[in-house]
Amino acid sequence: NAAFVANITTAHFGEMNVQHGKVKISPVVGSEAKHGVLSIAIRGALANAVDYAKKSGVTQLVDVDVSGLVASGEAEMILEAKFPLGKKINALTAIERLDATISNGSFSNVPGGVSVDDAELVIAFGNERSDVSGTASIMGAPYEFSLQFDRDKDLISAVALASPSSELAAILAKKFDLRIDGRLGGKLVYSGDLAKDRAELQFAAPLSGVSLDVPSLNWAKLPAEAGQVSMVIDIRGGELAAINNIDIVAGSLVAQGQIAFDSSGAVQAGFFER
């Protein structure tokens, strides 16, 4: 009368193989609202898991549109969900726990034009907090990172270590319209709210072995010259607001100070101690 339990030994779940699982329905007798609880371990192609999630109505993760996401690789997952019987199920609210391990993962059509390859990830999704950690090649540059979404505190935090690579140097050269040659790496620490109204990005990188050419300053740094750069970037409403705690030592150039931007993204003022 209290519950019906079915142990799953062989099955498919969205074209993925079920390793083991259990379905529980309670209560069986009576007029009380009945609920189902699903606990299942599955393994298979990551593309199948992503496609199944989309068909179940999962099109956004932490306010990011993932409806066009294309994925490949292998995935092992443990899923726990609780849902009312006789009603349409909202997959995101039904899932109480989702732990996943992704091997040789690749993601394209990511919002912002980002591409991810060679991903080895450990993921834990919960109602209040989600964690992602591992290694991946992002836009061709290798990273080791950890990422946390805290829904209770409405915060996103991340730490990423970028191994020195020519790919990262090329990305930054294009982004800031600089001439950079060599292998560039560094550390990034990000913290912000889930609504993306306020965010802070701390960046630090050694410049040894890297050549820089800034035509607007008529200045260049040679690869043999030592160097270090660090700064804190403030973002408001998704736009660059200020660059604080600038500390650059690169060959003949030394700079310490901050830069403020107006709402259009143009430089409003700069204050430098050195």
Side-chain angles (χ1 to χ4, degrees):
N1 292 341
F4 167 85
V5 178
N7 291 302
I8 304 170
T9 57
T10 304
H12 286 86
F13 186 88
E15 298 188 27
M16 300 183 75
N17 294 321
V18 175
Q19 309 297 98
H20 55 83
K22 179 187 294 185
V23 177
K24 180 179 179 180
I25 297 173
S26 63
V28 177
V29 177
S31 59
E32 297 178 51
K34 296 176 174 55
H35 288 81
V37 177
L38 171 67
S39 177
I40 194 170
I42 53 181
R43 181 177 183 178
L46 178 60
N48 291 338
V50 172
D51 290 343
Y52 190 79
K54 292 179 184 178
K55 292 177 182 177
S56 301
V58 180
T59 58
Q60 284 197 332
L61 287 176
V62 198
D63 295 329
V64 176
D65 183 7
V66 294
S67 58
L69 181 69
V70 178
S72 65
E74 294 294 318
E76 293 186 38
M77 295 183 285
I78 297 176
L79 170 67
E80 294 182 0
K82 183 177 181 179
F83 47 89
L85 296 184
K87 297 181 181 180
K88 187 176 181 180
I89 300 171
N90 183 313
L92 278 180
T93 57
I95 295 174
E96 296 191 330
R97 175 193 171 199
L98 175 61
D99 295 339
T101 301
I102 295 174
S103 303
N104 196 28
S106 178
F107 303 88
S108 59
N109 207 25
V110 179
V114 177
S115 62
V116 180
D117 298 293
D118 304 321
E120 303 290 332
L121 307 176
V122 176
I123 303 171
F125 285 116
N127 290 330
E128 297 181 355
R129 178 185 169 115
S130 299
D131 295 89
V132 181
S133 62
T135 60
S137 175
I138 303 175
M139 302 297 288
Y143 285 86
E144 178 180 349
F145 61 90
S146 64
L147 177 65
Q148 294 83 39
F149 303 97
D150 192 325
R151 295 173 184 83
D152 186 44
K153 297 181 179 179
D154 191 39
L155 291 176
I156 302 176
S157 59
V159 177
L161 298 175
S163 301
S165 68
S166 56
E167 289 82 3
L168 181 58
I171 291 171
L172 294 179
K174 183 177 180 180
K175 177 70 175 178
F176 296 104
D177 194 23
L178 301 173
R179 298 174 187 172
I180 305 176
D181 289 317
R183 295 164 59 84
L184 192 61
K187 180 179 181 180
L188 299 101
V189 179
Y190 175 90
S191 61
D193 57 20
L194 294 176
K196 302 177 184 176
D197 290 330
R198 300 175 63 89
E200 179 182 277
L201 177 64
Q202 302 176 37
F203 173 73
L207 298 177
S208 301
V210 177
S211 66
L212 299 173
D213 188 359
V214 186
S216 60
L217 297 179
N218 193 27
W219 170 84
K221 174 194 170 297
L222 300 177
E225 295 178 303
Q228 175 79 26
V229 58
S230 64
M231 63 187 68
V232 178
I233 301 172
D234 284 339
I235 301 170
R236 299 289 181 269
E239 301 293 335
L240 180 63
I243 303 178
N244 299 314
N245 300 335
I246 299 171
D247 192 347
I248 302 173
V249 178
S252 60
L253 178 67
V254 176
Q256 290 181 334
Q258 63 187 63
I259 300 174
F261 299 84
D262 61 22
S263 58
S264 68
V267 174
Q268 187 177 43
F271 308 92
F272 285 88
E273 302 168 12
R274 297 182 68 186

